[in-house]
Amino acid sequence: MKKLQYAVCSALFLAAGLVNAQQEEKQDRESGHINENKFRQLYQEMSTPNMYRTAAGAPGAAYYQQQADYKMDITLDDVNAKLSGYETITYYNNSPDDLEYLWVQLDQNVRKKDAPGLQKNGSGFGFATQPGRFVNSYMKDPFDGGFNIEAVTDANGKALSHTINQTMMRINIPKPLKAGEKISFNIKWWYNINNHVEGRGRSGYEYFAKDDNRAYVIAQFFPRMCVYSDVEGWQNYQFWGNGEFALPFGDYEVNITVPADHILDGTGVLTNRKEVYTKEMMKRYEKAKKTYDKPVIIVSQKDAEKAEKTKSTKTKTWKLKAENVRDFGFATSRRWIVDMQAVKIGAKDVMAVSMYPKEGNPLWEEYSTKAVVSTLQSYSAHTFDYPYHKAISVHAKNQGMEYPMICWNYGRPNEKGEYSDRTKFGMISVIIHEVGHNFFPMIVNSDERQWGWMDEGLDTFMQYIAEQEFGEKFPEAIKGNEKYPSRRGEPSKIVNYMKGDQQYISPIMSNPENVYQLGNNAYGKPATALNILRETVMGKELFDHAFKTYAQRWMFKHPTPEDFFRTMEDASAVDLDWFWRGWFYSTDYVDIGVKDVKKYYVTAKPNKEAKEYVAARGRTVADLPPLVYLVEEGSEDYNENMKGSSPLEGATTLKEYVMDNFSAEERKNLKTPKYFYQITFDKPGGIPMPLIVEYTYKDGSKETITYPVQAWRKNDAEISKVLATDKEVVGIVVDPELRTADIDMSNNSWPKKETESDFDKFKNKVKGE
């Protein structure tokens, strides 16, 4: 502020300001604001730093993580839609603890016909329902798709005792696995593959009746080790369907036997490409490795249509090998069209791949691989260079699911090949989102089973950035739109959720199984919060550095929410405990408004408040030192002494102060305000936010001032700000660009804007007709 403003403020409120401050502090203490201050540190909510995880949010000196390596032989029975496998798991105990038993996840057991997960929610009849849903729910036997465990043996083939509890299996090893030791054991299993279109599973097959074929997207298909960590011990929380996965890293060697006319790809390097590719496919593949500007067709639609007409009775085995991945998935069908394009990420080449049936064209051939390329570029720029050699987008009806190096995505034209913008942008967005999951949580490996927002929220936030950058790279794709029409990320998109019924809203820091609106809770709200943090609270430069620091600290490791919160503060020097508390630990909302606006004049004549102040102390105004005073427009003092005067008329003391304390050069540069305003802002909402205020002046000019969020630290209900200006204020708007997700805009303006009710809108519309 200008020196003159400091002079005015210090002089004008010398007496009254002290009284007001004392009254505010008393009110705060009585209301509990001092003890429950929104700006207090998160010591009670967050775990104590230790030798495994530092107070800065980084891995500690004693940080460890386990490793699980897999060797698998998998066979697909396409006739009976059955998958069988034999796997050898080698588990490395890198923890300081001796392990008495091992826990293995059996996710397919959630599909058993008697699985408890089928009855986890309440049920009842609505006034109507879709016929297909009614038939599946009440007129058909449940699909039986759980694991059939045929054998669990040790490295010598001797049976191992084991206990199955729903989706978890305890391996009762003969003796404790000591710290630093490893153990190998085998599991033989099979299960019936589900129709994911009918059952909306994360994996399975889609059946194409016209040519009697299936397209398979297969994941969670093998017994997988649980995570053992310094935070949870064994993370053996049951898989109920919503909370996704917590998995250790390891190396994979997987041999998958499928019909000979199938095209397959999945996690890892295809080590026998020349054996399973035709010569023409190899020729096209070699071309794709050197093509950076557009996709190269590896398997054409004509090739796929030819293959779908006959079914080979022979088989091929596809061999894949992956290092340091946390999971494995694959897709296989004789109906796949395949295209590939090379993309430069840092110093290495990555292959962007799309696999889709003819039903996906022309949309998929035009946009899928473009979306993969753009996503890898955007995410790498904001986190770390994508470390794997490929990223695959597979088309699957109603799907959106992710695994290392491969994901399945929806978005299908109608039978004529026509599609709307909604279908196009929906497809591009889900590809960006699912490919982006390679970064969160496939590499920055958070516990999805417990903290859904750590993968979905962070990824949806990055998805918003990547979508906007996609629109900039491919303006022809967003023709008719100023920018990419993102569905989530912008503050205005979360308002309806945050102002909704509190009975159906949970804090972001909730287990995914325990929330009503998982999409808003784990995806939309955290993505919006991080977008606001980046663009409104911290600024892009500070945020981007801190976010990249978090990603690089925890790539190929297991972070917790505290590690994220602490790193964001540690790398930015921005205290954000108030932000995490409001946005992540509560269901509070943002609502800030203009409560009152008062216009003041400056005078040397003691005003009513000053006279009362000294009289209460047995003194007179003659005893006061030289001061300047404020007189509110319309007050008793104003009507008696100031009406018709200019704002500074009679303020001799102020003029003398300026003459005595400023040089001639400084006085020349001083601006003499003509108007003084005291604006009171209130905060009905629970979340404090920076106060963004747009002032409109009588000459038509506008000025936006952002008051820091700390302005609310001593009074969570309301604050006042003085504006000294040489122009008359005619309008005030809080959050004019909708940057804070304010749920009620009706109190954001002065003068208050009258809003037309829905009834009045209808009535006026009828009159107009």
Side-chain angles (χ1 to χ4, degrees), residues 195-224:
N195 183 325
H196 71 71
V197 177
E198 292 182 356
R200 297 304 296 269
R202 285 180 168 85
S203 68
Y205 67 80
E206 177 181 1
Y207 178 66
F208 296 88
K210 288 183 178 180
D211 49 70
D212 187 32
N213 272 299
R214 297 185 180 94
Y216 296 90
V217 288
I218 303 297
Q220 298 107 251
F221 65 91
F222 60 101
R224 305 180 294 176

Side-chain angles (χ1 to χ4, degrees), residues 267-283:
T267 304
V269 176
L270 182 57
T271 61
N272 66 332
R273 190 181 301 272
K274 290 183 179 180
E275 296 175 18
V276 293
Y277 269 27
T278 66
K279 290 182 178 179
E280 184 60 29
M281 289 171 63
M282 281 301 304
K283 181 179 177 181

Side-chain angles (χ1 to χ4, degrees), residues 375-394:
T375 302
L376 294 176
Q377 292 170 332
S378 292
Y379 277 68
S380 295
H382 290 276
T383 56
F384 45 77
D385 286 348
Y386 183 71
Y388 298 131
H389 75 290
K390 67 182 176 185
I392 310 168
S393 168
V394 183

